[in-house]
Amino acid sequence: EQINFTLNSLAPKLNASGLKTKLVIYDHNYDDEGVRYVQTMLNNSDVRNVVAGVGFHTYAAPNHPALSMVQMTYNKEAWITEAGSGTWIGTHK
């Protein structure tokens, strides 16, 4: 759904409006499921052509190799768009 929305609605409308807004996909935790989601999105060459990068949250883990993977494998920006700390998050290894 996000691929379809990005390619057929959001990116064309931003482009038609002349806005130079950077598109960031995903914007959620970089747990294993999230990383697979991001890979599915970025394995699509049309998506890679219209997005600037990926947004991640640090709630699932304070550190994750997905940040480097996005940059090294797909040559896209990886942003921490939301973060926090405290015992309410749970235990991190």
Side-chain angles (χ1 to χ4, degrees):
E1 288 178 12
Q2 191 174 36
I3 289 172
N4 180 48
F5 175 73
T6 301
L7 295 178
N8 298 311
S9 294
L10 185 58
K13 288 183 191 272
L14 286 173
N15 189 40
S17 73
L19 294 173
K20 301 298 180 197
T21 303
K22 288 185 176 185
L23 293 181
V24 178
I25 59 169
Y26 188 59
D27 196 28
H28 197 51
N29 294 331
Y30 46 50
D31 53 16
D32 292 340
E33 183 179 341
V35 171
R36 285 191 300 274
Y37 186 97
V38 166
Q39 288 172 319
T40 297
M41 295 279 301
L42 292 178
N43 282 336
N44 183 305
S45 61
D46 293 329
V47 171
R48 283 195 315 274
N49 287 333
V50 298
V51 302
V54 178
F56 286 115
H57 303 180
T58 64
Y59 303 118
N63 198 338
H64 200 284
L67 299 171
S68 296
M69 178 273 298
V70 166
Q71 293 172 327
M72 293 169 55
T73 303
Y74 300 103
N75 195 30
K76 294 295 172 185
E77 299 171 9
W79 301 341
I80 302 298
T81 56
E82 202 171 305
S85 62
T87 57
W88 62 274
I89 293 174
T91 315
H92 297 299
K93 295 179 183 179

